[in-house]
């Protein structure tokens, strides 16, 4: 994940992807450490701000394809937060359509990226879902001490099938289908204890809800 994230950020700087490629693990670890810890150096607030901005731009680049699908009238996402994602994409489309100058630059992805980064600034990319982070609606925040809540999503505690911030796109579909297959096989194991079996059935119900929605929208 670090390597993928840093590759996205490096792609925006001249020749920096070459340097990153020489020491991908070390470079990514150093960059992220400077963002969140003092493992390599004292916290640099200007770097932290730049890093956040670049992450927003990376997210916006991923959203360009969703924007174009939405412009064709597609439902590009499912999940509890899908309506909010669709609303944000629709707002960007309306902004472009109602502004002749922007409409003339529609072929320029940078224009779309800038509008998306501004409209969906709280979007956090994920492997199995994207988080439209809104702290009061975030179930993951319940796992944190009160003085640490509301700052950022706690990805390790995400409940993507239930949290109202969660949205799932076609790029996430393979992971959900694979988990459904694994869980289906798991419940057939006669060695499974009753409490564990019940937990698997609960999780499988959540996964079923997402995979069925993906199938209905043609994303799976």
């Amino acid at each position: 994940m670090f390597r993928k994230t840093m590759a996205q950020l490096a792609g925006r700087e001249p020749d920096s992807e070459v340097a990153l490629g020489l020491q991908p693990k070390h470079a990514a670890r150093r960059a992220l450490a400077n963002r969140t810890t003092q493992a390599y150096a004292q916290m640099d607030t200007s770097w932290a701000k730049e890093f956040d901005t670049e992450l927003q731009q990376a997210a916006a680049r991923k959203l360009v394809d969703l924007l174009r699908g939405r412009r064709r009238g597609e439902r590009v996402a499912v999940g509890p937060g899908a309506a909010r994602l669709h609303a944000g994409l629709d707002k960007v489309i309306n902004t472009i359509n109602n502004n002749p100058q922007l409409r003339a630059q529609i072929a320029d992805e940078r224009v779309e990226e800038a509008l998306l980064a501004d409209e969906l600034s709280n979007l956090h990319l994920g492997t199995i879902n994207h988080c439209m982070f809104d702290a009061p609606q975030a179930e993951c925040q319940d796992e944190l001490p009160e003085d640490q809540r509301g700052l950022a999503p706690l990805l390790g505690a995400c409940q993507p099938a239930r949290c109202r911030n969660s949205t799932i796109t076609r790029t996430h579909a393979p992971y959900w289908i694979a988990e459904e297959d694994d869980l289906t096989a798991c419940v057939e194991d006669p060695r499974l204890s009753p409490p564990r079996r019940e937990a698997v059935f609960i999780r499988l119900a959540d996964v079923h809800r997402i995979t069925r929605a993906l199938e209905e929208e043609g994303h799976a």
Side-chain angles (χ1 to χ4, degrees):
M1 181 61 71
F2 287 169
R3 193 179 304 181
K4 182 178 179 181
T5 301
M6 292 308 301
Q8 290 176 325
L9 304 186
R12 298 178 62 84
E13 304 298 333
D15 297 326
S16 59
E17 69 275 13
V18 176
L20 182 64
L22 296 176
Q23 295 178 305
K25 293 182 180 179
H26 178 78
R29 187 180 298 115
R30 178 171 184 176
L32 289 173
N34 197 34
R35 170 62 180 87
T36 58
T37 73
Q38 297 181 11
Y40 281 85
Q42 189 71 20
M43 177 67 75
D44 185 338
T45 55
S46 63
W47 161 246
K49 182 177 180 180
E50 180 178 352
F51 188 77
D52 285 339
T53 299
E54 291 290 346
L55 282 180
Q56 289 179 7
Q57 291 297 330
R61 288 196 295 277
K62 282 186 171 292
L63 284 172
V64 168
D65 286 341
L66 296 181
L67 182 72
R68 292 173 180 174
R70 189 62 180 167
R71 189 178 283 119
R72 294 191 296 268
E74 300 174 7
R75 282 181 53 83
V76 296
V78 301
R84 288 166 52 202
L85 177 61
H86 288 143
L89 295 174
D90 290 343
K91 186 173 181 180
V92 171
I93 291 171
N94 289 334
T95 298
I96 293 173
N97 289 344
N98 294 324
N99 186 315
Q101 185 175 359
L102 291 177
R103 200 161 60 243
Q105 302 178 60
I106 193 61
D108 189 346
E109 286 190 2
R110 291 172 299 179
V111 173
E112 295 174 322
E113 288 176 13
L115 293 171
L116 288 164
D118 183 60
E119 179 61 32
L120 300 170
S121 59
N122 288 330
L123 179 75
H124 293 258
L125 300 179
T127 301
I128 62 173
N129 71 322
H130 296 326
C131 176
M132 306 279 295
F133 186 62
D134 178 30
Q137 301 187 67
E139 293 193 14
C140 66
Q141 300 299 289
D142 296 338
E143 304 296 325
L144 293 170
E146 289 191 10
D147 62 341
Q148 296 180 25
R149 296 178 183 176
L151 302 178
L154 184 62
L155 299 181
C158 183
Q159 297 292 330
R162 302 183 182 190
C163 182
R164 286 176 288 177
N165 289 326
S166 174
T167 183
I168 296 109
T169 71
R170 62 169 55 90
T171 60
H172 302 123
Y175 300 99
W176 288 87
I177 294 170
E179 183 175 7
E180 183 178 44
D181 291 342
D182 288 344
L183 291 170
T184 300
C186 185
V187 297
E188 296 176 355
D189 187 346
R191 298 170 297 177
L192 209 61
S193 66
R196 176 59 179 161
R197 187 179 301 278
E198 181 180 0
V200 172
F201 271 121
I202 292 173
R203 176 59 183 169
L204 184 57
D206 285 344
V207 174
H208 271 318
R209 189 160 55 250
I210 297 301
T211 55
R212 297 300 175 267
L214 288 168
E215 287 176 0
E216 290 174 1
E217 299 302 329
H219 297 329

